Amino acid sequence: MRVAVVSDIHANLHALEAVLDAIDADSPDELWCLGDLVGYGPRPNEVIEIVREQARLCLVGNHDLGVLGRLDLEDFTLDAAVVAQWTRTVLLDENRAYLESLASEARVEGAELYHASPRDPVWEYVIDEETALAALEVTVAPLVLVGHSHVALSISLANGELSGAVAPDGTEVPLTEARWLLNPGSVGQPRDGDSRAAWLELDFAAGKARFHRVAYDIARTQAEMAERDLPEGLAERLAHGS
Ligand code: ZN
């Protein structure tokens, strides 16, 4: 089976469309989404409608839960809380119901999926050695997928040895001979210095994974954010990928 994995779309419709064009060209069997469909960005309903339609599996992220009122917005940055409040005012009932139906973790044959981490599927950032090792120690599947940090990562554990790093465009990893923790990076608000939208291709039969980046019309998303009076800093950071 071949799967395309996306995460942290954050209501960035143009980034999602660019990624889906690239994914369609690759024609995988399934699309999985690791959560944070909304928050930060200007097009929450359109993004949810696409994911509802196309993803075979989808998790809920902390921003989705903040919009739903299931996490306290005081735990978010001010800009994130402002957009979560705005999102509540525009979110259609059927899209709210879809977010309500999602869980923050999932298990499939050969993989465990978490929005944030196995220890805390909603909030913990897996971004250093300690959190990566803990994530692999409390799971059993050969492959662990996480999102949340907006940084594409590939980390392996073999014979007690942890190794890995950020995973730039084109990084390919063999899924055999080690356990892997992979973060596809973010579709809608990358923070690893590459402003292009991220996605991850998994080929279970061939035993490999490949990280991809796709350019999209950042200015168009920024203009939509300005039209809706969303915080300027959130629009600016899209251009820097940070
Ligand atoms: Zn996120």
Side-chain angles (χ1 to χ4, degrees):
M1 183 170 75
R2 293 171 58 252
V3 179
V5 187
V6 296
S7 191
D8 298 277
I9 304 165
H10 286 295
N12 188 336
L13 177 64
H14 307 301
L16 178 62
E17 286 179 337
V19 162
L20 290 176
D21 280 349
I23 289 174
D24 283 348
D26 195 56
S27 53
D29 301 302
E30 291 187 0
L31 176 70
W32 298 350
C33 172
L34 304 180
D36 273 2
L37 285 71
V38 301
Y40 295 134
R43 304 289 293 272
N45 285 305
E46 294 86 347
V47 163
I48 294 172
E49 279 151 24
I50 291 171
V51 173
R52 273 170 63 192
E53 176 115 335
Q54 300 198 22
R56 141 91 174 76
L57 199 157
C58 185
L59 305 181
V60 73
N62 55 309
H63 284 258
D64 305 318
L65 292 168
V67 167
L68 292 174
R70 284 162 57 190
L71 286 181
D72 192 339
L73 292 182
E74 291 201 351
D75 294 332
F76 289 74
T77 64
L78 184 59
D79 281 353
V82 165
V83 183
Q85 298 272 18
W86 170 81
T87 304
R88 286 175 183 171
T89 67
V90 298
L91 197 63
L92 298 175
D93 286 347
E94 62 266 32
N95 292 334
R96 164 176 277 272
Y98 177 71
L99 293 182
E100 291 278 9
S101 75
L102 304 174
S104 55
E105 56 184 283
R107 252 160 234 242
V108 294
E109 173 84 41
E112 292 179 45
L113 291 69
Y114 303 90
H115 172 65
S117 87
R119 291 197 296 196
D120 178 351
V122 172
W123 274 120
E124 186 188 37
Y125 291 91
V126 179
I127 200 72
D128 57 22
E129 229 177 280
E130 191 266 323
T131 48
L133 187 61
L136 285 161
E137 280 176 349
V138 301
T139 50
V140 292
L143 176 63
V144 178
L145 297 171
V146 299
H148 188 52
S149 70
H150 300 205
V151 173
L153 280 181
S154 71
I155 293 167
S156 66
L157 183 65
N159 308 316
E161 279 287 297
L162 192 75
S163 60
V166 293
D169 188 25
T171 300
E172 196 170 291
V173 300
L175 293 177
T176 47
E177 292 163 32
R179 292 186 59 223
W180 286 90
L181 180 134
L182 305 179
N183 184 326
S186 168
V187 171
Q189 194 204 71
R191 294 179 193 162
D192 50 11
D194 185 340
S195 61
R196 295 176 297 171
W199 67 283
L200 174 68
E201 173 192 354
L202 299 175
D203 188 334
F204 287 100
K208 60 181 189 181
R210 190 178 179 90
F211 289 82
H212 295 272
R213 300 305 272 258
V214 187
Y216 74 96
D217 193 343
I218 293 173
R220 207 167 155 202
T221 293
Q222 290 173 321
E224 291 174 352
M225 292 172 78
E227 274 163 34
R228 290 158 180 78
D229 274 328
L230 303 185
E232 258 174 57
L234 293 178
E236 268 165 33
R237 71 186 297 177
L238 295 179
H240 310 299
S242 62

